[in-house]
């Protein structure tokens, strides 16, 4: 079996730290996981922690150049290791997540951590510095508000999508949204733990907010309403094209391998240039194949299951 596509992705990425509103910043890196920064009157919230404490330290250093206010809150938009395992770099912070994300961490967090460290050797090159799973210190069912002085950050679960527990962070005074992996910009959607049908409806809810800017999970910040629309539309197109193709194959009784080959043919012309495309597609098609056959709750990925799936589809 060849290694995962990501094991060959060893080139360092160019990091950008862009202001997208008053006291609002996007930390992006050419398709690597993004973080968001919200500076309030008296404190700071960071959205998504990065993969390791060493990666998170770079985010913290960049924040220190724009404000001396303390980082009091770290929001996890969902449970995936590349988002959460850098949390130990943030000292004396409240770690927020949805109730559903905490449940997913309890159910599959350790398996996900082990899987992602193997899948992404570059992102986890400093994995030895990770003390273990990241657990939220504060959770909520569907919605909560955190006040950074007079600045409200409204955190909402607007529907299942990339995972069952995704949340977005809205800064109402600026009309800016931090979407996590519900939206990607010119980066493939990882759908290995997705709820496809719900994701499309969730993106419609997100579009209804008519944000001025969005920080997506991967890819450049969407700094204008036109880019916001483009980013949501690209994500909708990616998810729906993939799932519709898989549904059709399942209806015709095709095998997972044949389904994967057909999805590749359909998706490649439009999406092959997207970051992490070849890495994500086997996981995404596997999950879509399950959902199309009526399996609502994503099967837990393990190191062994990852390798078995990869050998079946890419061997």
């Amino acid at each position: 079996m060849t290694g995962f596509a990501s094991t060959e992705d060893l080139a360092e990425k160019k990091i950008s730290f862009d202001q997208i509103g008053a006291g609002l910043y996007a930390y992006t890196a050419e398709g690597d996981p993004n973080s968001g920064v919200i500076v309030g009157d008296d404190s700071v919230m960071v959205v998504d922690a990065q993969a390791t404490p060493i990666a998170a330290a770079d985010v913290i250093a960049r924040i220190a150049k724009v404000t001396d206010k303390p980082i009091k809150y770290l929001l996890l938009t969902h449970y995936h290791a590349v988002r959460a395992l850098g949390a130990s770099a943030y000292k004396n912070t409240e770690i927020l997540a949805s109730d559903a994300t905490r449940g997913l961490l309890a159910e599959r967090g350790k398996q996900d951590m082990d899987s992602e460290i193997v899948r992404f050797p570059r992102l986890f090159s400093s994995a030895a510095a990770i003390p273990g799973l990241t657990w939220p210190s504060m959770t909520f069912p569907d919605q909560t508000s955190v006040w950074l002085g007079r600045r409200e950050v409204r955190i909402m679960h607007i529907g299942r999508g990339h995972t069952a527990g995704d949340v977005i962070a809205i800064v109402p005074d600026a009309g800016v949204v931090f979407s996590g992996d519900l939206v990607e910009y010119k980066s493939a959607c990882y759908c290995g733990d997705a709820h496809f049908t719900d994701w499309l409806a969730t993106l419609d809810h997100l579009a209804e907010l008519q944000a001025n800017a969005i920080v997506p999970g991967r890819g450049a910040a969407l700094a204008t309403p036109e880019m916001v629309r483009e980013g949501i539309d690209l994500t909708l197109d990616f998810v729906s094209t993939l799932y519709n193709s898989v549904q059709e194959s399942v209806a015709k009784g095709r095998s997972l391998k044949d389904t994967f080959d057909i999805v590749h043919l359909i998706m490649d012309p439009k999406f092959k240039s997207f970051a992490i495309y070849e890495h994500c597609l086997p996981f995404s098609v596997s999950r879509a194949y399950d959902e199309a056959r009526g399996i609502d709750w994503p099967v837990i990925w393990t190191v062994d299951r990852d390798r078995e799936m990869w050998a079946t589809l890419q061997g």
Side-chain angles (χ1 to χ4, degrees), residues 46-86:
V46 174
V47 182
D48 287 326
Q50 294 289 311
T52 66
I54 289 170
D58 187 58
V59 180
I60 293 167
R62 288 167 192 265
I63 293 169
K65 291 176 180 173
V66 297
T67 182
D68 59 1
K69 292 166 185 166
I71 301 169
K72 283 179 67 174
Y73 301 96
L74 172 64
L75 172 66
L76 305 180
T77 59
H78 60 288
Y79 73 94
H80 284 151
V82 291
R83 301 288 170 191
L85 293 181

Side-chain angles (χ1 to χ4, degrees), residues 75-304:
L75 172 66
L76 305 180
T77 59
H78 60 288
Y79 73 94
H80 284 151
V82 291
R83 301 288 170 191
L85 293 181
S88 61
Y90 295 91
K91 309 299 182 188
N92 306 311
T93 55
E94 197 84 67
I95 301 175
L96 291 84
S98 65
D99 289 350
T101 288
R102 186 183 178 89
L104 287 161
L105 272 166
E107 179 194 45
R108 61 185 67 203
K110 180 64 169 71
Q111 295 95 320
D112 178 73
M113 174 179 171
D114 293 344
S115 286
E116 292 199 51
I117 287 172
V118 174
R119 292 182 199 174
F120 293 109
R122 177 176 54 79
L123 290 177
F124 286 104
S125 60
S126 59
I130 299 166
L133 279 180
T134 299
W135 290 97
S137 55
M138 181 192 301
T139 66
F140 51 91
D142 296 306
Q143 183 174 335
T144 191
S145 283
V146 174
W147 293 86
L148 309 176
R150 291 165 300 182
R151 176 167 247 184
E152 181 188 8
V153 183
R154 195 173 300 156
I155 304 165
M156 299 174 69
H157 171 71
I158 58 170
R160 302 191 303 184
H162 173 70
T163 73
D166 299 300
V167 295
I168 61 171
I170 307 168
V171 183
D173 68 58
V176 172
V177 174
F178 299 80
S179 71
D181 283 328
L182 285 170
V183 176
E184 313 289 20
Y185 186 62
K186 297 184 179 176
S187 182
C189 299
Y190 173 76
C191 313
D193 303 295
H195 297 267
F196 283 89
T197 306
D198 289 8
W199 197 340
L200 300 173
T202 299
L203 287 168
D204 286 340
H205 293 323
L206 185 59
E208 287 165 8
L209 296 174
Q210 296 186 316
N212 294 321
I214 283 180
V215 177
R218 292 177 185 261
L222 310 174
T224 65
E226 293 74 26
M227 281 191 77
V228 166
R229 185 69 256 176
E230 183 193 5
I232 293 173
D233 285 348
L234 277 175
T235 306
L236 273 165
D237 193 15
F238 189 101
V239 173
S240 61
T241 301
L242 193 157
Y243 191 57
N244 290 341
S245 169
V246 172
Q247 276 188 307
E248 188 176 320
S249 283
V250 167
K252 291 178 177 176
R254 292 185 181 126
S255 69
L256 176 59
K257 170 63 173 159
D258 288 346
T259 298
F260 175 70
D261 291 343
I262 289 167
V263 169
H264 236 308
L265 290 173
I266 291 169
M267 300 281 285
D268 282 5
K270 199 183 290 189
F271 302 112
K272 192 175 176 63
S273 64
F274 282 21
I276 66 169
Y277 174 77
E278 294 292 352
H279 172 74
C280 289
L281 206 61
F283 295 96
S284 298
V285 172
S286 297
R287 170 57 196 148
Y289 193 79
D290 281 353
E291 183 169 327
R293 292 182 303 139
I295 299 170
D296 175 66
W297 197 245
V299 180
I300 295 172
W301 291 102
T302 64
V303 172
D304 288 345

